Amino acid sequence: MPLFDRYLIVDWSGAGAPARGANSLWACLAEQHGQGARVLWLENFPTRAQFMSRLLAVVEETTQAGKRLLAGFDFAFGYPAGAALRLAGRADWRKLWHKIATEVQDLPDNSNNRFELASRWNATHFAGEPRFWGRPHQHRYADLGDKKPPAPTTPPFAFRRSESFAKGAKSVWQMSYNGSVGGQTLLGIARLSRFLDESGHGERISVWPFQTGFAERFEKPVVFAEIYPSLFPLTECHAVRDAAQVATVVKIFARYDENDRLARLFAPPPMLGEEERAIAIAEEGWVLGIGHEKLECAA
């Protein structure tokens, strides 16, 4: 029996103004429909605020219908071990999410303070050994440089454990330039943290693997997970690559689930020891699918 009835895959965006097309926010919703998935919609959202309104509607519709939803987001759910302690005072993912949500400003038109915040945190939490780097060339920030700083000698380091297994993955500390994910991560975590606290549906949602461990079955009807679409070869065609990726991943997950394979992607990655699993669950998180590539190929 499938774990989920519906699958929402989101290609997030750190845009500072409303945007459409390439490098903007795309999302695709599909549901189990007999032999394969039926795509309900594939849409391009010009702002994060507009998408969050749609997310609320999807969660409400799904839970009211007594169905189950997997929502996958392509930004990091955590930072390298040691970051939560430095930034939030405790090695705990939820404490860090609250810290980020409190200090990130992300307005309905996508204008936000991600670069100012990264600069300030470099000065206040990483003085003398900055972690955040990268900025628009036309802007200047007192403590946010345009070049990658020397590798840190103390935690947190540049990469999470999961990223060392994802080909081409960028560091969450990189805030700008090609492929950067730092801005998306700050804005995405802030949005999801507020959603858990303010939507009225927080008790129906589990954030994997933080609240579930590496479980293969879930008590709550909605699961949020971090994804990395580049793990999967494109099978769908679209003029915009981001759209093709979300359409591809949503169908792959639905097919895996129909064949009782999706549950195994949530299982403990075989390369992690007990201590590394504990770190992933407490603060770093994990990317759904990493460690199970042979299973994916077989599917």
Side-chain angles (χ1 to χ4, degrees):
M1 178 180 176
L3 283 176
F4 302 99
D5 304 293
R6 293 178 176 175
Y7 313 86
L8 175 65
I9 300 300
V10 184
D11 186 277
W12 196 252
S13 171
R20 288 189 181 275
N23 300 315
S24 62
L25 200 159
W26 289 84
C28 185
L29 179 69
E31 67 178 4
Q32 286 288 348
H33 185 66
Q35 299 298 313
R38 178 178 66 174
V39 173
L40 301 179
W41 50 259
L42 168 63
E43 292 191 28
N44 188 198
F45 295 85
T47 68
R48 289 176 291 277
Q50 287 175 286
F51 168 76
M52 295 306 296
S53 294
R54 180 64 64 84
L55 176 63
L56 177 60
V58 169
V59 171
E60 286 180 344
E61 292 167 4
T62 300
T63 55
Q64 288 173 4
K67 296 183 177 182
R68 299 155 298 165
L69 171 72
L70 170 63
F73 301 85
D74 79 330
F75 56 82
F77 275 21
Y79 281 76
L85 181 62
R86 286 276 199 104
L87 292 167
R90 192 167 70 210
D92 176 82
W93 73 278
R94 197 68 181 100
K95 188 81 171 176
L96 180 57
W97 277 36
H98 279 133
K99 168 77 170 177
I100 292 171
T102 298
E103 300 202 29
V104 163
Q105 298 170 10
D106 188 13
L107 302 182
D109 65 353
N110 272 357
S111 59
N112 62 82
N113 69 335
R114 66 191 188 278
F115 295 112
E116 293 89 343
L117 183 59
S119 178
R120 175 156 50 85
W121 280 3
N122 269 345
T124 56
H125 297 288
F126 303 112
E129 200 174 54
R131 300 304 195 277
F132 293 102
W133 65 280
R135 55 171 174 75
H137 291 297
Q138 67 272 29
H139 296 164
R140 295 291 183 271
Y141 302 92
D143 295 281
L144 183 65
D146 60 350
K147 294 182 174 59
K148 183 178 179 180
T153 58
T154 58
F157 297 114
F159 291 96
R160 298 177 297 163
R161 179 68 168 159
S162 61
E163 288 151 358
S164 65
F165 296 98
K167 183 179 180 180
K170 299 288 187 176
S171 169
V172 291
W173 307 115
Q174 184 179 340
M175 295 294 295
S176 192
Y177 317 129
N178 289 341
S180 61
V181 297
Q184 291 181 210
T185 294
L186 283 174
L187 298 169
I189 287 176
R191 286 285 184 176
L192 290 192
S193 182
R194 293 180 192 131
F195 190 87
L196 293 176
D197 290 338
E198 301 170 5
S199 68
H201 296 283
E203 293 302 315
R204 300 180 181 91
I205 300 168
S206 291
V207 181
W208 179 87
F210 298 129
Q211 295 176 308
T212 64
F214 287 102
E216 299 179 38
R217 292 291 185 273
F218 308 100
E219 295 180 2
K220 296 183 179 180
V222 180
V223 173
F224 287 174
E226 178 185 343
I227 61 168
Y228 185 51
S230 295
L231 288 176
F232 307 94
L234 285 179
T235 59
E236 300 298 309
C237 296
H238 197 282
V240 177
R241 180 178 175 82
D242 297 335
Q245 284 189 315
V246 295
T248 292
V249 176
V250 81
K251 290 186 177 181
I252 286 175
F253 281 0
R255 185 172 74 248
Y256 285 0
D257 207 5
E258 185 181 3
N259 296 329
D260 296 323
R261 293 178 181 269
L262 185 64
R264 293 162 64 184
L265 296 188
F266 291 96
M271 73 283 277
L272 296 187
E274 185 175 342
E275 183 178 352
E276 291 172 316
R277 292 181 191 178
I279 291 172
I281 292 169
E283 56 179 317
E284 282 199 352
W286 196 256
V287 179
L288 185 61
I290 288 182
H292 303 285
E293 286 80 4
K294 290 183 179 179
L295 170 65
E296 292 163 23
C297 290

